[in-house]
Amino acid sequence: MNEKQDQKIGLALGGGGAKGFAHVGVLKAIDEAGIVVDKLAGTSMGAIIGLLYCAGFGADEILTMLHKEKIWNWFKIDFRNGGLVNLNGVKKRLENYIKHDRFDLLQKRFFVTATNLNTGRVKVAGEGNQLIDWVIASASIPVAFAPVHLNGSVFVDGGLFMNLPVEALNFDCDVVIGSNVIGDQRVEHISGARDIAERVFDLCAIQNQRNSKVYCDLCIEPDELEQFSVWDFDKFEEIVAIGYHTAKKDLDLFFRCNPSSNDQ
C-alpha cells in the first residue's frame, strides 16, 4: 500500500501469553507493507504490544525494547507456590516508556479488553485515564497472575470472553486484520498446574475467538506457534520471526487477491 490510503484499517491483536510476541513480527510486516493502522484493539499480550505501537513505537523499536528489558524476567511465575504474582514489574516498565496515562493522548485509537469477575462480562476500555492499569488487567491470566482492582470491580485477562478483540473495533473499519496466536489444536499430554492453567485458558480463547474471526477480512494465524507454550517468554525472538514471516506471506496474498483493498 502507498503512504496515502483512503480506507480505514483496523487491527486486532489477540491474547496468548508468550505467543503474543508474534504480534511484533506482524506489526513489522504491516509497516513494511506501508499499511497505516487507524484503530487497534488488543487483549492480554496483544494489549501490551498494541499499547506500545499506538504510543508511537515501531516494531523494530519494540523488539529492541524486549531485548533491553529482558522480557522473560517480566513474567516469572512459580506455580509451586500457587502462582498469583502481580504484574507491577510490567506496569513500571510501561510507565517508563509511556509518560502519560490517557487513551486520548496515544497516536492511534486504542481499545483494550478485560474480564470483569464481578459481573461476568467483558469490558472494552478505550477512553479516559487508567490506560496502563487497563492494559495490565487485560494481561492478568487467571491462576498465574493476580487480578487487578479497578473502579470497584475485579478484572482479569480479557481473553476469557474476547481473545481476538475484533468486536472492540466497533465495525467502522473498511479492512479488519486479526492477528491470532492461539490455534485450535489437540493437546496430547496435560500434567501439573501449569499445563492445566494453559489448557483452560486456551479452550476459553478458542471458543470465543471463533466468532470473532468471522468479522476479519484477513486473519493471520501462524501454525508454527503450536510448538510453543504461552509461558515461553525466553523464546521471544523465534516467536517474533514466525509472526513476521507468516504476516508477510498472508498480507501479500490478501492484497493481491483483493486489489480494491489497496486502491488509493
Side-chain angles (χ1 to χ4, degrees):
M1 298 183 74
N2 296 325
E3 290 184 4
K4 294 181 179 180
Q5 64 185 34
D6 295 328
Q7 295 185 313
K8 180 180 288 187
I9 306 294
L11 176 64
L13 304 180
K19 295 182 182 182
F21 291 135
H23 299 318
V24 180
V26 171
L27 291 171
K28 180 176 175 64
I30 285 174
D31 288 345
E32 289 181 355
I35 300 168
V36 178
V37 175
D38 297 283
K39 299 174 68 174
L40 190 152
T43 295
S44 200
M45 184 61 77
I48 293 175
I49 301 300
L51 170 61
L52 294 169
Y53 190 69
C54 289
F57 295 97
D60 287 334
E61 290 178 292
I62 297 173
L63 184 57
T64 298
M65 194 184 304
L66 298 182
H67 277 285
K68 178 182 177 182
E69 298 291 349
K70 297 182 177 178
I71 186 69
W72 54 90
N73 289 325
W74 291 19
F75 300 91
K76 282 188 174 178
I77 309 166
D78 188 351
F79 283 98
R80 295 169 300 179
N81 292 325
L84 288 181
V85 299
N86 60 50
L87 291 175
N88 286 341
V90 179
K91 180 178 178 179
K92 290 178 181 177
R93 286 173 171 87
L94 290 176
E95 289 173 340
N96 287 337
Y97 290 100
I98 300 169
K99 302 302 182 181
H100 61 81
D101 199 30
R102 295 190 59 85
F103 284 89
D104 59 356
L105 294 180
L106 294 171
Q107 295 185 16
K108 297 180 184 293
R109 194 79 173 89
F110 177 59
F111 302 89
V112 59
T113 69
T115 298
N116 187 322
L117 289 183
N118 298 96
T119 64
R121 297 179 181 274
V122 66
K123 164 72 176 180
V124 177
E127 60 184 15
N129 53 15
Q130 298 179 304
L131 166 65
I132 295 178
D133 281 335
W134 280 119
V135 170
I136 296 302
S138 180
S140 296
I141 301 173
V143 180
F145 301 117
V148 174
H149 296 259
L150 271 171
N151 305 329
S153 294
V154 181
F155 291 90
V156 295
D157 198 301
L160 291 180
F161 291 136
M162 194 184 290
N163 195 60
L164 185 64
V166 178
E167 295 92 330
L169 295 170
N170 296 324
F171 302 107
D172 65 345
C173 298
D174 300 302
V175 178
V176 174
I177 300 172
S179 179
N180 179 42
V181 297
I182 294 183
D184 190 356
Q185 71 271 12
R186 177 183 174 86
V187 174
E188 298 297 336
H189 303 289
I190 300 174
S191 63
R194 172 172 160 160
D195 286 354
I196 293 171
E198 178 173 359
R199 188 56 177 164
V200 169
F201 176 87
D202 280 0
L203 290 175
C204 290
I206 288 167
Q207 290 300 313
N208 68 64
Q209 68 194 20
R210 285 173 179 162
N211 293 329
S212 299
K213 286 194 289 185
V214 172
Y215 300 108
C216 293
D217 297 291
L218 168 64
C219 191
I220 299 167
E221 299 181 282
D223 293 335
E224 293 177 72
L225 292 180
E226 292 182 8
Q227 63 187 295
F228 297 95
S229 162
V230 299
W231 316 114
D232 283 337
F233 294 103
D234 59 335
K235 298 178 181 177
F236 72 93
E237 288 183 284
E238 300 169 63
I239 294 172
V240 170
I242 289 171
Y244 172 73
H245 291 299
T246 302
K248 286 279 284 186
K249 177 188 65 179
D250 288 356
L251 288 167
D252 179 65
L253 179 62
F254 175 76
F255 286 111
R256 279 196 287 112
C257 294
N258 300 273
S260 62
S261 297
N262 202 12
D263 288 344
Q264 305 308 311

